[in-house]
Amino acid sequence: MTEPSVAQRRAGSPGTGTRSRRRPFTLRTALLIAAFLAPAFVFVAIFTYYPMLRGSQMAFRQWNLYDLTTTPWVGLENFRAIIADPSSGRILLNTIGWVLGSIIPQLVIGFAIALWLRRAFRFRGIYQALVFYPWAVSGFLIGLLFRWMFNSEFGVVNDLLTRIGLIDTPIPWLADPNLAMIAVVTANIWYGVTFFAMMILAALQSVPDELLEAAAIDGSGRARTLFSVMIPAIQSTLVLTVLLRVIWIFNFPDIIWAMTKGGPADQTHIATTWMIQLTQQGNYGHASALGLTVVGLLMVFAAIYLALLSKDNTR
Amino acid sequence: MIHRDPLPLRLVRIGGLSVWLLITIFPLYWIVVSSLKAPADIAAYPVQYLPLRPTLENYISLFAKSDFGQNMFSSLVVATVSGLAATAIATLSAYVLSRFQFRARGLVVMAFLVTQMIPAFIALGPLYQLMVALDLVDNRGGLMLVYVAMCIPFSTIMLKGFFDNVPDDLDEAAMIDGCNRLTALVRIILPVMLPGLAATFIFNFVNSWNELFLSVTLINSSDKRTIPTALNGFITSFNIEWGPLSAAAVLTVIPTMILFGIASKWIVAGLTAGATKG
């Protein structure tokens, strides 16, 4: 009856689903689309795009809060200053350690919990409700909570370790440059496992039971079923969740800010805590240059990550 | 068909789940216990695992010595208004993205996704200057506007997933029955996806309730502060008083825990849809 319009045929964007859409594309429809998108874009344009673009521009100017009368263009000078800063190497390593040290345990523990929760049992609903709550808590508050638990004098972590007999004297977790990173990463792992568990569980529950039964009938062992049936079936969710999570953790200073503010001796400073510090010092130019560098690094990472995985798939 | 795992595997499963439950619950337990301890007991070593003399002293001094009551009110108003507004606005954009095929559709989705990847701190300085120019600094209304903008992109992606799950046929049936597009949306489609709308609102509410860095930048007066900003004020003061701070933490966490507990299933559905279809 209705011919698909030109606009429909050309719009072959990914993830459109399989449902057919038979809509004549008239001026009225175009106006409706514009009108419905307008409020969202007005808000995002004023309060997100505009400050972000202006912020990016600051990266190429001398821009210090305490001298706004002269903000000359300085080219790449801010980037040079960031790279030449004596702490930048340390901070880059810290950031990589923070991301990898957090995401790998989160993924592994989250996957195990999702697998264990896949099959229904009597208290599963209650269990999920109980382990779900870290999601509702802000990263900053989680940081405060762990700062209290890792307190060297009255902290429960030291007390537990003493009672088990692992340590004799209280450890100054957050004051010791070698241990502070362990403490903040521990807090972040605890915080992020829920997210992985829930996403992977949702994906696993969409794997049809027949597929697993077929594998069992074929005589596949549990480990083989896991690696050659289950994981491939949820691969797209896994890939995307890990990618989004890496970006998110990279940009997530809240826990560190609450626990150590980057100290002691820069040992827990990551790119975004450094950015906050530079912003607070009024040094917007350097902060923006650092921010753009982070965006660049993340884009390169995302491109390599997706390229490697798609190559893996077509082989 | 074997539906039960052999015994050793079941033990591993039960053991693993129990350990994780303990690890997850413990910090919450700990903050509640700490908030109920008298100042002398909170600094006792070895640590007391049960409050020997439970008291509400910390809660009383929290409200007496700080603006925490007003901070809770601030957070409640700001999070409710921005959560509702962002959900309403995102409903419109998500509806369009789900129901129409147009050339710029992929571009629009990208434009929303990009905001999620750029560190917000780049925008912090210019945003402050913008709010100064608009005379919206130290103003809850100004903070709400910023939060609405902050919540719209992800809400759109999440709601698009929920719209995609409502079959197109439903719109068409409604329109054959004499609805126009708008009445079909309001009377037929939205009621069907009420759980999705609730989940999106709760997600926005909790994000606004928890947001720290924008609020620290834009609000100065201690009575207008939202809860995270107030907590930040507690720790930047020279000596941290862990008792009242624990009480504040408990009061901050409980409302969001209840809301997320109610909506957890739908939020997961929305996030999964966002991650796979976005």
Side-chain angles (χ1 to χ4, degrees):
Chain A
M1 199 180 82
T2 338
E3 281 285 313
S5 71
V6 179
Q8 279 170 318
R9 260 184 269 132
R10 282 196 192 157
S13 64
T16 0
T18 47
R19 286 178 299 134
S20 65
R21 286 150 208 263
R22 289 160 289 143
R23 288 272 149 66
F25 208 76
T26 60
L27 180 66
R28 265 191 80 185
T29 322
L31 281 176
L32 181 119
I33 292 174
F36 273 34
L37 286 176
F41 266 100
V42 168
F43 265 95
V44 176
I46 297 177
F47 297 106
T48 309
Y49 293 150
Y50 168 74
M52 274 184 179
L53 285 176
R54 229 178 121 78
S56 316
Q57 194 201 36
M58 283 177 178
F60 305 98
R61 305 177 81 152
Q62 177 189 318
W63 200 297
N64 204 306
L65 193 59
Y66 305 107
D67 184 16
L68 289 176
T69 49
T70 49
T71 56
W73 292 91
V74 291
L76 297 176
E77 168 57 29
N78 289 329
F79 292 88
R80 198 202 58 79
I82 287 293
I83 294 166
D85 191 287
S87 348
S88 63
R90 176 78 260 155
I91 289 172
L92 180 65
L93 286 180
N94 286 346
T95 310
I96 294 170
W98 161 253
V99 172
L100 290 182
S102 303
I103 201 151
I104 294 170
Q106 283 178 0
L107 176 64
V108 172
I109 303 172
F111 201 111
I113 291 167
L115 271 182
W116 290 329
L117 284 177
R118 199 183 73 86
R119 208 171 292 163
F121 56 90
R122 195 183 302 162
F123 301 112
R124 189 172 71 172
I126 299 170
Y127 186 92
Q128 273 177 267
L130 285 174
V131 297
F132 198 78
Y133 85 90
W135 253 29
V137 187
S138 73
F140 180 69
L141 196 61
I142 297 294
L144 287 182
L145 237 158
F146 276 81
R147 180 170 170 174
W148 174 226
M149 295 201 299
F150 276 111
N151 185 296
S152 59
E153 287 172 273
F154 323 115
V156 68
V157 172
N158 275 339
D159 189 76
L160 282 172
L161 291 176
T162 314
R163 279 173 204 257
I164 301 171
L166 284 177
I167 58 172
D168 301 323
T169 48
I171 297 175
W173 290 99
L174 300 176
D176 185 328
N178 298 316
L179 298 175
M181 191 51 119
I182 295 176
V184 295
V185 165
T186 304
N188 197 30
I189 294 171
W190 180 89
Y191 188 38
V193 163
T194 318
F195 181 82
F196 271 106
M198 293 301 155
M199 297 296 280
I200 294 171
L201 179 61
L204 282 177
Q205 281 171 338
S206 69
V207 177
D209 276 340
E210 295 83 53
L211 201 65
L212 303 176
E213 282 170 20
I217 290 167
D218 281 353
S220 301
R222 274 162 214 285
R224 260 203 72 196
T225 309
L226 176 64
F227 285 106
S228 50
V229 181
M230 271 197 201
I231 292 182
I234 62 166
Q235 196 185 15
S236 65
T237 308
L238 280 180
V239 166
L240 264 166
T241 311
V242 168
L243 177 63
L244 292 176
R245 241 14 211 184
V246 165
I247 294 172
W248 196 81
I249 293 175
F250 209 105
N251 287 332
F252 176 59
D254 307 43
I255 283 182
I256 296 179
W257 197 249
M259 288 177 81
T260 62
K261 286 212 159 51
D266 284 350
Q267 287 297 315
T268 57
H269 243 328
I270 60 166
T272 36
T273 55
W274 193 20
M275 240 176 111
I276 296 171
Q277 198 183 47
L278 289 169
T279 308
Q280 288 191 341
Q281 290 163 355
N283 198 341
Y284 292 171
H286 286 190
S288 294
L290 178 58
L292 284 190
T293 312
V294 166
V295 175
L297 285 177
L298 285 175
M299 280 168 71
V300 170
F301 164 77
I304 294 174
Y305 176 82
L306 291 175
L308 279 178
L309 282 166
S310 63
K311 200 172 138 199
D312 218 41
N313 280 343
T314 49
R315 202 168 43 203
Chain B
M1 200 48 240
I2 317 130
H3 269 296
R4 283 193 158 249
D5 290 329
L7 191 63
L9 267 180
R10 277 171 67 196
L11 287 179
V12 168
R13 181 170 165 223
I14 293 168
L17 287 177
S18 311
V19 169
W20 188 251
L21 182 64
L22 277 180
I23 293 176
T24 309
I25 293 293
F26 186 78
L28 181 67
Y29 169 79
W30 193 242
I31 204 76
V32 173
V33 166
S34 300
S35 77
L36 295 173
K37 284 182 184 171
D41 292 346
I42 208 164
Y45 200 88
V47 169
Q48 295 173 5
Y49 284 85
L50 282 170
L52 296 179
R53 297 171 287 168
T55 161
L56 290 177
E57 220 175 298
N58 292 319
Y59 291 87
I60 294 164
S61 81
L62 173 69
F63 285 102
K65 286 184 197 160
S66 76
D67 286 330
F68 202 72
Q70 279 150 305
N71 299 143
M72 288 189 84
F73 174 76
S74 259
S75 276
L76 190 67
V77 171
V78 169
T80 308
V81 174
S82 7
L84 284 175
T87 308
I89 293 171
T91 303
L92 298 178
S93 45
Y95 171 73
V96 162
L97 290 177
S98 165
R99 285 304 190 254
F100 298 98
Q101 290 288 343
F102 51 100
R103 233 174 295 172
R105 191 167 150 278
L107 211 66
V108 171
V109 174
M110 259 326 279
F112 283 130
L113 277 177
V114 158
T115 62
Q116 306 295 295
M117 301 193 181
I118 297 174
F121 309 101
I122 283 192
L124 221 48
L127 188 62
Y128 179 75
Q129 291 175 327
L130 174 70
M131 298 309 267
V132 171
L134 296 173
D135 200 18
L136 285 172
V137 169
D138 204 22
N139 181 322
R140 291 191 196 111
L143 191 63
M144 288 178 208
L145 291 173
V146 175
Y147 282 175
V148 171
M150 169 185 89
C151 292
I152 283 174
F154 200 79
S155 304
T156 301
I157 293 162
M158 196 163 155
L159 280 169
K160 180 182 169 295
F162 284 112
F163 272 117
D164 285 346
N165 287 338
V166 180
D168 245 3
D169 309 344
L170 207 60
D171 305 48
E172 275 157 29
M175 280 157 77
I176 289 166
D177 282 350
C179 287
N180 64 32
R181 194 169 286 290
L182 209 61
T183 48
L185 170 65
V186 175
R187 291 203 201 132
I188 312 291
I189 310 301
L190 291 185
V192 174
M193 46 181 276
L194 216 52
L197 289 169
T200 310
F201 166 70
I202 288 175
F203 198 75
N204 290 338
F205 179 94
V206 171
N207 276 341
S208 308
W209 179 271
N210 286 340
E211 201 285 328
L212 169 69
F213 294 105
L214 289 167
S215 166
V216 165
T217 311
L218 297 175
I219 303 285
N220 306 319
S221 323
S222 86
D223 60 323
K224 286 182 195 157
R225 283 179 181 168
T226 55
I227 295 174
T229 315
L231 294 176
N232 187 51
F234 290 170
I235 64 160
T236 41
S237 57
F238 184 64
N239 216 340
I240 301 180
E241 283 189 70
W242 287 106
L245 188 60
S246 307
V250 172
L251 293 176
T252 311
V253 166
I254 286 173
T256 54
M257 266 180 70
I258 294 172
L259 284 176
F260 255 47
I262 296 170
S264 61
K265 225 171 73 187
W266 306 320
I267 292 175
V268 172
L271 287 177
T272 338
T276 50
K277 291 177 197 155

